[in-house]
Amino acid sequence: MDTFIGLEYNIWWFLLLGAVVTGYAILDGFDIGVGAIHLFLGNRENRKIAINAIGPVWDGNEVWLVITGGVLFAAFPPVYATLFSGLYIPLMLFLVMIIFRAVSIEFRGKEPMVWWQQTWDIAFSVASIIMALALGMVLGNVLQGLPIDETGEFTHKTDFNFINPFSLLTGVTTLGLFMLHGALYLGMKTEGKLYDQLGLIIKNSTVFFILAALLLSFYTLLYVPHLTDQIKEQEWMFFLPVVLVLLMANIPRQVSKRNYGYAFISSTGVISALLVIGAVGLFPSMLHSTIDPAYSLTLYNASASEKSLGIMLTIAMIAVPLVAIYTGFVFWTFRGKVKIDEHSY
């Protein structure tokens, strides 16, 4: 197989896919989280500040979702096809809610009536909650495995197979993590009364996430053992769950000192560590077959041709860093506390 700096093209694309998925989860995770806690923020003024805290960046964050879809489609087309075939309903629900949420943000400030703004506040929050749950349930099904036959096709039983205990637990954990991530982001971006109220919201979000994560961990150990096989076989990998636990423990420690910036860095690390542990558990599979592991779609039997991977890798090595630089530039430009003016949402 052809290589680049000692690594096969397939490995490079697996790493690239992991990087863009992680980038999307970190960036859109906090603005989805801000939406999920939106109705707990109190009066209309607080909600307006919250929307303006994510206003300059929320649509740019979703560029990483587009890149994720592009990487998956270009490098692993059978995985893309089977994933959308098997998880059509939650993925379409997620995409529809993206549109619904964007409309809510844009329409909320168009009229001054109280009922108008409250309606779009509810729409914004509900859409954000559904997005977090749907995204988590998709991830849960990918980690747990899908009924994939020997031809690599998804075998349908019902259209609602995606609803199962593991995917529900993953969805709730994702919601809790995004709520915490979003609340910490608001802690960095706000001041005054909203800043004072965030302490209780962050505390409750932390408890919610940790309880959900513990339940998910126990369920994984008992009923989804293939996700822990790699770590059990290679003991040096035990540092991954250790790092995850330390990062989780650091969040309440920093929150107690109101160091929301450091706590946000820790929640970013938690998202990254969880996705890395999931990827390690699946490797080299990308979609695990629950019928027979031999039928699983891997980064070797479900990739594009080596020539295509090589050409596209050159393009990706230029384009992805440019998008990352642009994203960093936007965040730097809009750094600091949120100020409301006539141009606000």
Side-chain angles (χ1 to χ4, degrees), residues 68-87:
T68 300
V71 167
L72 195 59
F73 178 77
F76 305 105
V79 176
Y80 182 93
T82 303
L83 186 66
F84 272 83
S85 172
L87 301 173

Side-chain angles (χ1 to χ4, degrees), residues 195-249:
Y195 178 84
D196 294 335
Q197 290 180 6
L198 282 170
L200 182 61
I201 295 174
I202 290 171
K203 181 181 177 182
N204 292 337
S205 300
T206 304
V207 173
F208 177 35
F209 164 63
I210 290 178
L211 288 177
L214 286 174
L215 280 174
L216 180 64
S217 300
F218 284 126
Y219 191 95
T220 303
L221 291 171
L222 291 174
Y223 300 108
V224 197
H226 70 266
L227 287 178
T228 57
D229 286 347
Q230 294 270 20
I231 294 178
K232 289 176 183 174
E233 291 170 6
Q234 303 186 55
E235 294 180 358
W236 65 271
M237 285 189 176
F238 270 102
F239 86 92
L240 289 173
V242 171
V243 168
L244 173 62
V245 171
L246 291 175
L247 288 167
M248 289 173 64

